[in-house]
Amino acid sequence: MSELQKEIKILRGRINDDKGRILNLEHKLKDSENNAEKAHDDFLEKISKLRTTTRISYEKYEKFKKLNDNLKEKLLKAQESIKVYQEYIDEYRHKIDDLNDVIKSYEDDKKKAEAAKK
């Protein structure tokens, strides 16, 4: 029986060792699950923040896109107005040149008339 008792003792020791290993593995599993759950929660939080940031950025993009489109439209209108004013300026320059020619002709005629009187 002593051999049997030794073997029982050895088997009980192995059982206790195995129980310790199982408890250790269960503890590691629980830690891994907790870490995975924490990592998942952190990931969800980051995704939520990213979604919020993306939404805000898109809203700002839309706002600035509308502003940019309005500014482009205003720029086109301003360029058209500048072209119209440039045409007016060219027209008035031509009229000024014509008036200068008329004044010069009048002064020449006046000088000739004065020269003829003398």
Side-chain angles (χ1 to χ4, degrees):
M1 285 265 280
S2 67
E3 264 186 56
L4 199 52
Q5 286 178 347
K6 285 182 186 179
E7 190 148 340
I8 290 174
K9 199 175 193 182
I10 290 171
L11 290 175
R12 282 187 183 157
R14 284 185 186 168
I15 288 174
N16 288 335
D17 288 344
D18 289 344
K19 283 181 184 179
R21 286 186 198 135
I22 289 171
L23 287 175
N24 189 25
L25 289 173
E26 286 176 347
H27 187 307
K28 285 182 180 180
L29 178 64
K30 186 177 179 181
D31 287 344
S32 295
E33 287 175 348
N34 288 340
N35 288 339
E37 188 175 327
K38 184 178 182 292
H40 185 260
D41 291 343
D42 290 345
F43 175 75
L44 290 177
E45 183 180 339
K46 286 180 183 179
I47 289 295
S48 176
K49 287 180 182 179
L50 182 63
R51 183 179 296 140
T52 302
T53 303
T54 303
R55 182 180 46 79
I56 291 170
S57 296
Y58 184 76
E59 288 171 357
K60 286 182 180 181
Y61 164 77
E62 286 294 322
K63 178 183 171 185
F64 285 114
K65 182 179 176 189
K66 287 179 184 178
L67 179 63
N68 189 34
D69 290 343
N70 288 338
L71 289 175
K72 282 182 182 178
E73 188 176 313
K74 287 180 181 181
L75 176 65
L76 290 174
K77 287 180 182 179
Q79 288 174 336
E80 289 175 14
S81 297
I82 288 171
K83 287 179 185 176
V84 169
Y85 285 128
Q86 189 64 42
E87 290 174 5
Y88 285 143
I89 289 171
D90 291 341
E91 183 180 330
Y92 284 119
R93 283 184 180 157
H94 181 70
K95 287 181 180 181
I96 289 171
D97 289 340
D98 288 345
L99 285 175
N100 282 334
D101 289 343
V102 169
I103 291 171
K104 190 174 181 183
S105 296
Y106 175 74
E107 287 174 350
D108 289 343
D109 289 344
K110 189 175 177 183
K111 284 180 185 177
K112 287 180 185 177
E114 286 178 8
K117 283 186 182 179
K118 289 184 183 179

